Structures are given as structure tokens and as C-alpha cells.
Amino acid sequence: MVEIQLDGQKVEVAEGCMVMHAAEKAGTYIPHFCYHKKLSIAANCRMCLVEVEKAPKPMPACATPVTNGMIVRTKSDKAIKAQQSVMEFLLINHPLDCPICDQGGECQLQDLAVGYGGSASRYAEEKRVVFHKDVGPLISMEEMSRCIHCTRCVRFGQEVAGAMELGMIHRGEHSEITTVMGDTVDSELSGNMIDICPVGALTSKPFRYSARTWELSRRKSVSPHDSTGANLIVQVKNNQVMRVLPLENEAVNECWIADRDRFSYESLNGDERLTQPMLKQGGEWKSVDWQTALEYVANGLRGILADHGAASIGALVSPHSTLEELQLASSLVRGLGSDNIDYRLRNADFTAAPTGAVRWLGMPIAELSSLQRVLVVGSNLRKDHPLFAQRIRQAARKGASVHAIGKGASGWAIPLATSVDASYDLWLNALGGVAAAIAAEKGVQAPLAIDADDATKAIAASLTGGERKAILLGNAVAHHGHASQLLALANFIGEHTGASVGFLTEAGNTVGAQYVGALPVQGGLDAAAMLNGGLKAAILLDVEPGLDTAVSGKALANAEMVISLSPFKANLDIADVLLPIAPFTETSGSFVNAEGRIQSFHAVVKPRGDARPAWKVIRVIANLLGLAGFDFESSQDVLKQARGGIAADATHLPAERLSNATSVAAGSASGTTAAPVVASIYQLDGMVRRAVSLQLTADARLAAAPAVSTTEEGVAA
């Protein structure tokens, strides 16, 4: 440790730290633009100049290493005058368009100009002009004349997103940030460039000119899209969501969010919102009041129960639903005497986990950044889990060896030590090869009789070294026909190498859905069986068969009653009744992320039209059916029941329930080798599918392009 004196205060920091880090520890603010705690040091804005005793001139705090006994003054006349001079230079070419700038009111340059800028400029020369660029539907670069060349956006692309999409060309006053070749910015994390831009050069294209920052109310929430559970700040005006920003949480999403977390709010204000209950009468949809719709549902369920029995009723529930909604949906189905409920909409292998086991990440999310060895199986990591990918990218930048097995295991913007690009039906062979190489090294019986090739031997050799290591199974493994055997192989490898084994898990509440038992546990029908026509009455909780499922679900049209609970006008072709429910911004609830962290949130706006929180709708249906145990006054009451024996102040599910163990042998034959169904990044759920700007991105256009038909051959073990 090194001790320095900062503005008369003694501060102790680690050797190699910069003066800026010491100031942060001491709670002293030093003005800056190019410095960002998550990015490398560029020292090109010079706004952080401070006085260092015995130094001949002011020094940049962000790039000056501390030395023992160093004396630093951040508020001396010398430091202040240096900072004022820098500000004067920054404002020479900066346009004075604050009244029309979208960044006005939250602009770092604007704020610091008040304290360090002059009341008048000494320069009368014409200001430079930088022409705008079109970089896609999400980021606006219309006013690049405002850019002060801090290069935060460039470094973010290189270091966090993993792709250098922006760069600086030319020199001096001709310098400008651009994509060089006129390309679009296509990173799944690109919206974070808007947040870190200290001026109004990069702004949000969907939000542009829609509100002033001081008009917006700020409310906390949690993203429902993927299993990170990213913490959000939702900004609201006139009971309408206007913008979504990250809420910093180092243990979960740090200070970043994915673009689908940021821009999916557009769907909440779109024309496809369902705002009134609707009944299909004579083949046409008619709007009705809630009383009529709910009595229709209750009477229909009573009739089907009497005519066909409880086993003819079931529910397909979305893993993007809240813990409270899933708890009540499970209770409703089981209260009717059925066990037909399932959240595993895209699965092909429905082998049950050991009793009470909840599949999870296998480690805290934050530890992904410090892994030394990583094997990812069956995941397009960068697109399926953007924030997990950037953490593993951090680990790779620190020297971690990252290996991949999967179809198209490339394009992650992460340097891969080994990549096995195998068709879906050969994943058992590939992972079995890794297991065989490890078994040979350890002198134990291999789970499969497979010879390891050079690539699988390299993966095995890497996993036997290092200390912090993990085997991460992606969405395509969870949906694979041999999911259980793949997990068994991963567990074998983990057991003999000391690596943790975990599922990346697909949705915002996949872990929570398992915990509350939103799957058949007493021999009920699984999702595939229900979608293939196993029901007379089907309840769809925010599910769109064919889009959210591996099976088309067309057979549901033959059911006597299909009840669709959705925030959108969905399932018009198969449903008999549409019940408008509130999306996550209009209801209170909880999500459980991949690491088992329980995160609760409140509604940020009132439900649109006659929409109601799903937990309330399910509760009323249960009350009309005369079921006991549904006397809840608030979502907190439901959460208390869902938690079971978990203490009210517990932040995570109990460790004894989190387990990736399996009772299936690695070599047992079951399931199918058909390609697993994995949704593309902007088709994952109903919200992102209806977000206009997201559907204009390169990723969405690529997913919408017709697939090239190919025939793949191979024999799985």
C-alpha cells in the first residue's frame, strides 16, 4: 500500500493506482471527461489536471501513478487555473446549442462549464462543423460537432462490447469519431455508449426530442428479459415509460444494460397493447368488461372440469413472468386437481431434476469476471446473455482461457483458446471427448466410449489447470434433446477438474419458475404434450405458441377453451378469451436471476387501459371457482407464500435448493437429436418482438432472413 496526502488528507491506496483512484477513495471529486472507472485510461481530455508538489506543471489525475509521500492539491489556484484553461479550449469549437440538446440537464460538459467555464470567450473564429452519421436505429449521431474526443465510446466498444465499431480519424480540429466505413453500430450493448458520452454527441434515437430530463420521474425496476436480472432506472412522464437506463449494481449488471433491456419499452406504448378483455363470438373479437370475461372463464373451466376431469386442464406459463404470477398460476392449476403446468416452453428433454433441485448458474454472477478457465457449451453467448458475455470478456482480458462447444461457436467478440464447431447431434460426442481425455488423465473410467481429438484434449488440459473455472451450459443445451446427458457429462468433468457446473438459464425468472414448482411434479403433462393437443382447457400466461415454444401449438385450437393472459393482442387465432395483463412496468413483483438472487420491484406506471396485474387476475379466477387459499391483498402476500420458509430479508434462494446434479447417466439413450429451438436476441419474448427500433437492428434483420436449408450428418453417442 502507498500513502499520499490529498488536499491535506492522508489516503492509503494500492501501489499502481492513479491519483484519481485515491481521490475517489477519499471522496474528493476531480472534474473529468475521458476517465471512466470501467474503461482504460486515455488521459486525452486533460480536465483532471491537479497540482503535484515538486512537479513542474499540473498533472492529469487519471494517468499519474501514486508514489509514497506524494502531496497532491486538487483545489489550489494552480490546479483550478489549469482546469479552467482546459475548459476554455474544450469550448472553442463546442456548439452553444444547449437549449435544443437532448443531453441538456444531464450533460457533464454543461455542469462543469458552470464551475470552470468563463463568462465570455476570447475566440471569435468560426466553429468547426462535423457532419452527422447514420449508425443504425438505436444511436443518434446527428450532432457530432458536440464531440470533445474523450474516446469513451471507442474504448467501450473495444474493451466492454468487444468490437471496435467506432474510431477516430484525422488529426487536430479535423478529428472525428466515426464508423470509418459508414457501417452501423450493431453491438448488443451499444446503448451504453449513450450513457457514457459526457456531451450530447451520442443520444438515444428512439427517445430523441420526446422529453426533457427534468420532466421525468425516475423509478427502480428489474429487467425481465434474460437471466442477469439487470437493475434498471425507468424514467416516466405522464404515466408513460419514456426511457430506460441502468441502475448500477456491481454484483449483477455493474453499470451496463443490454440493448433489449434499454429499448424494449417501445412495445409498452405501441398499438399492439391489449387494453380491454375480449371474447371471441361468432368468430369475431368483441370487447367486454372484466366481470363478463372472468365469469366466462370460470364457467368454462367448471364445465370442462365436470365433463373431462382435472387432467384435461393445464397452463403454459412464461419464465418471464414474475414469481408471484407463477406461484398463483401453479396454485390455480393444482387447486383444480391438475398437475399440467410447465414453463419449459422450448425444451425437448423433460427429464425431471432431482426432487427440489433448482438449476442455476452454479456461481455468483460477479465471479464470472474472475474465472481462469471457462468452457461454454451450446450458447451463442454474446447474443443469448450479453452481460454475462462481457464479464467473461473481462476475464479473457485478464488472461482467462475460454473454450466453446456448439453450433457456430464464434462471433462472441471474445478470444477463444479452443472452439469446437459441432452440429447439434454431435455435442454429446464433443463433450464426451473432453470427458474421455480427463478420464485418461485421472485414471478413471470414461462415461462414454469416445476417443478425444486434439481440440477436446486441449480443452481437457486447460480445465485440469488453473483454480477458478466453470462449465457453463447455454440455452441450446437446456432445450436439447439430450440435455440430461449433456449435464451428466458436464458434472463428470466438473467433478474431476474442480470446475463449477451451471446453466446460463434463459429468461428473467427461469430459476424462480423452478423454485415455485411451475412444472409437472406428479406425472402431469409437460409443455410439449400440452402443445400437441393434450388439453381441453389451456391457460396461456404471457405465452405465444409458435413464437415462445418449440412446438407450434396449432393443436391448441382444438381445445374447448383457450385463455390467453397477455399484455398484447396475442393468440388471436387459437384463443377464446383475451385477458389484458400488466407488463413488468405496470405491476409489482419479483424475479430470481441465474445466481438465485431474489429481486423485487414496484410498478412504475399505472396499468394501461383496463389491464390488470396477472396475479390479481389469477386470484379472482380462483375466487370465482371457489378455490381456497387465494385471499391475497397484495403481491407481497403472494411473495411471502412463494418464498416458503425463506426469511423475508433473504436476498437469495436457499443454497440447499440450488443444484445442478442429475440422476441421468451420461451414456443413457433418451431424447432427440433435432436442433434445439433457441430464440434470437430480439425474438426472446413478446416485449422485444414488438419493440420497433430493436426490430430494425442488424441482429433482428439477420434473424428474420430465410434460413439456408442444410443437411447435417453425424451420430450421437
Side-chain angles (χ1 to χ4, degrees):
M1 299 296 284
V2 175
E3 186 178 87
I4 72 168
Q5 190 179 105
L6 184 78
D7 292 337
Q9 177 185 355
K10 289 185 178 180
V11 184
E12 198 174 68
V13 292
E15 189 175 354
C17 287
M18 303 297 162
V19 171
M20 184 69 81
H21 302 140
E24 287 177 344
K25 185 174 182 180
T28 300
Y29 177 73
I30 299 176
H32 60 272
F33 294 113
C34 69
Y35 172 77
H36 190 282
K37 64 182 180 181
K38 294 292 184 179
L39 303 177
S40 62
I41 293 169
N44 53 11
C45 78
R46 317 307 281 185
M47 190 65 210
C48 64
L49 291 176
V50 295
E51 180 184 357
V52 178
E53 193 169 275
K54 296 182 181 178
K57 59 183 181 180
M59 305 292 287
C62 69
T64 303
V66 295
T67 58
N68 206 35
M70 175 186 279
I71 298 175
V72 180
R73 301 181 183 91
T74 68
K75 298 177 175 62
S76 64
D77 287 343
K78 187 175 182 180
I80 296 297
K81 286 179 180 177
Q83 293 162 359
Q84 289 173 339
S85 296
V86 171
M87 178 60 73
E88 185 175 18
F89 278 107
L90 285 173
L91 294 177
I92 288 174
N93 276 311
H94 193 80
L96 303 178
D97 61 349
C98 294
I100 65 162
C101 179
D102 249 20
Q103 197 89 335
E106 53 186 9
C107 172
Q108 211 170 326
L109 180 65
Q110 191 179 52
D111 293 342
L112 292 179
V114 173
Y116 299 91
S119 58
S121 175
R122 291 186 285 173
Y123 293 88
E125 290 78 13
E126 186 176 342
K127 293 180 182 286
R128 76 174 191 148
V129 174
V130 180
F131 291 106
H132 70 272
K133 288 94 178 168
D134 184 1
V135 294
L138 305 180
I139 299 177
S140 172
M141 295 180 73
E142 292 291 320
E143 288 90 11
M144 289 307 292
S145 296
R146 299 171 184 161
C147 179
I148 61 171
H149 305 152
C150 70
T151 68
R152 280 186 178 183
C153 56
V154 177
R155 285 175 285 143
F156 173 84
Q158 286 178 294
E159 299 163 16
V160 180
M164 187 176 174
E165 296 179 292
L166 293 176
M168 184 181 289
I169 60 173
H170 306 312
R171 300 186 62 147
E173 69 170 7
H174 302 294
S175 299
E176 57 180 292
I177 300 291
T178 177
T179 56
V180 183
M181 299 297 292
D183 300 324
T184 54
V185 174
D186 298 322
S187 167
E188 61 287 343
L189 298 171
S190 66
N192 294 290
M193 294 180 183
I194 300 167
D195 294 337
I196 62 177
C197 180
V199 295
L202 305 182
T203 53
S204 168
K205 192 171 281 189
F207 174 72
R208 187 175 164 82
Y209 295 146
S210 58
R212 287 295 197 179
T213 181
W214 53 83
E215 299 174 320
L216 302 172
S217 300
R218 292 160 175 78
R219 292 154 192 178
K220 298 177 182 178
S221 192
V222 179
S223 171
H225 300 305
D226 64 34
S227 58
T228 309
N231 290 199
L232 310 176
I233 295 175
V234 182
Q235 298 189 332
V236 176
K237 178 184 177 183
N238 296 333
N239 201 48
Q240 183 171 311
V241 176
M242 304 299 292
R243 186 167 62 168
V244 175
L245 299 175
L247 174 64
E248 185 171 350
N249 186 335
E250 281 296 313
V252 181
N253 56 297
E254 300 177 84
C255 57
W256 316 119
I257 54 174
D259 286 350
R260 65 181 168 204
D261 302 326
R262 184 183 301 272
F263 296 108
S264 63
Y265 74 87
E266 283 187 295
S267 62
L268 304 177
N269 309 319
D271 295 334
E272 287 197 53
R273 278 298 302 272
L274 180 65
T275 57
Q276 286 184 296
M278 302 183 78
L279 293 180
K280 187 182 286 185
Q281 298 176 339
E284 294 186 3
W285 286 102
K286 305 289 185 182
S287 296
V288 297
D289 57 49
W290 270 107
Q291 187 69 24
T292 302
L294 292 173
E295 287 181 353
Y296 175 85
V297 169
N299 291 334
L301 289 176
R302 282 195 203 96
I304 292 169
L305 188 64
D307 294 342
H308 304 287
S312 65
I313 300 174
L316 293 159
V317 295
S318 170
H320 300 277
S321 302
T322 67
L323 201 65
E324 294 81 354
E325 292 162 1
L326 295 169
Q327 169 68 24
L328 288 188
S330 301
S331 299
L332 173 64
V333 170
R334 294 194 167 97
L336 291 170
S338 173
D339 192 45
N340 303 330
I341 183 168
D342 210 343
Y343 77 92
R344 300 167 298 177
L345 306 176
R346 296 187 176 100
N347 285 29
D349 179 354
F350 294 95
T351 304
T355 304
V358 174
R359 306 294 195 211
W360 69 304
L361 185 61
M363 62 193 306
I365 290 173
E367 290 186 9
L368 291 173
S369 306
S370 59
L371 290 172
Q372 295 177 341
R373 305 283 190 273
V374 190
L375 170 58
V376 181
V377 184
S379 174
N380 183 352
L381 187 64
R382 178 180 171 188
K383 303 301 180 182
D384 294 347
H385 302 278
L387 295 174
F388 289 171
Q390 78 86 16
R391 282 193 181 270
I392 293 175
R393 192 173 295 118
Q394 290 178 37
R397 287 172 60 84
K398 298 172 189 172
S401 296
V402 183
H403 310 275
I405 295 175
K407 179 62 179 170
S410 61
W412 292 359
I414 299 174
L416 295 178
T418 313
S419 175
V420 179
D421 190 351
S423 60
Y424 307 106
D425 53 347
L426 294 177
W427 289 1
L428 272 178
N429 286 0
L431 199 57
V434 177
I438 290 171
E441 171 71 20
K442 301 292 182 179
V444 297
Q445 177 67 41
L448 295 180
I450 291 176
D451 293 329
D453 57 18
D454 290 343
T456 53
K457 285 178 181 178
I459 296 173
S462 178
L463 289 176
T464 54
E467 296 179 356
R468 299 181 298 277
K469 40 200 171 182
I471 303 166
L472 302 175
L473 306 178
N475 296 351
V477 170
H479 303 160
H480 200 280
H482 292 304
S484 299
Q485 294 97 301
L486 288 166
L487 175 58
L489 279 172
N491 281 329
F492 175 88
I493 296 169
E495 179 186 350
H496 290 92
T497 62
S500 67
V501 176
F503 281 94
L504 293 166
T505 70
E506 180 179 29
N509 210 14
T510 299
V511 174
Q514 298 172 73
Y515 185 75
V516 298
L519 69 171
V521 293
Q522 298 293 333
L525 299 179
D526 57 45
M530 287 188 272
L531 288 163
N532 281 323
L535 301 175
K536 293 296 183 180
I539 301 170
L540 305 179
L541 177 56
D542 201 13
V543 172
E544 297 177 64
L547 296 174
D548 293 323
T549 62
V551 179
S552 70
K554 292 180 180 178
L556 288 174
N558 300 323
E560 293 183 18
M561 174 178 277
V562 177
I563 305 157
S564 175
L565 290 82
S566 174
F568 304 103
K569 296 172 184 175
N571 304 319
L572 298 177
D573 55 338
I574 59 172
D576 299 290
V577 55
L578 305 180
L579 302 180
I581 60 172
F584 81 103
T585 53
E586 299 171 13
T587 183
S588 56
S590 308
F591 294 129
V592 183
N593 71 2
E595 70 175 12
R597 181 185 295 265
I598 306 169
Q599 299 185 106
S600 297
F601 54 91
H602 297 288
V604 300
V605 292
K606 295 177 182 177
R608 188 170 176 182
D610 287 335
R612 295 291 181 268
W615 71 267
K616 288 186 177 182
V617 176
I618 298 170
R619 180 200 64 188
V620 174
I621 292 173
N623 291 338
L624 290 174
L625 289 169
L627 301 181
F630 285 85
D631 301 322
F632 300 105
E633 296 296 327
S634 68
S635 62
Q636 285 77 18
D637 294 339
V638 185
L639 177 61
K640 185 176 180 180
Q641 184 187 80
R643 279 175 168 265
I646 308 177
D649 59 347
T651 59
H652 289 74
L653 296 183
E656 60 270 18
R657 290 288 302 275
L658 300 173
S659 171
N660 293 314
T662 179
S663 56
V664 176
S668 61
S670 68
T672 172
T673 57
V677 176
V678 180
S680 65
I681 184 170
Y682 298 135
Q683 291 294 320
L684 185 62
D685 58 69
M687 278 188 64
V688 295
R689 285 195 292 269
R690 292 172 173 84
V692 176
S693 295
L694 291 178
Q695 296 309 316
L696 295 174
T697 61
D699 278 323
R701 295 197 305 272
L702 184 64
V708 177
S709 178
T710 60
T711 302
E712 296 175 341
E713 297 182 356
V715 179

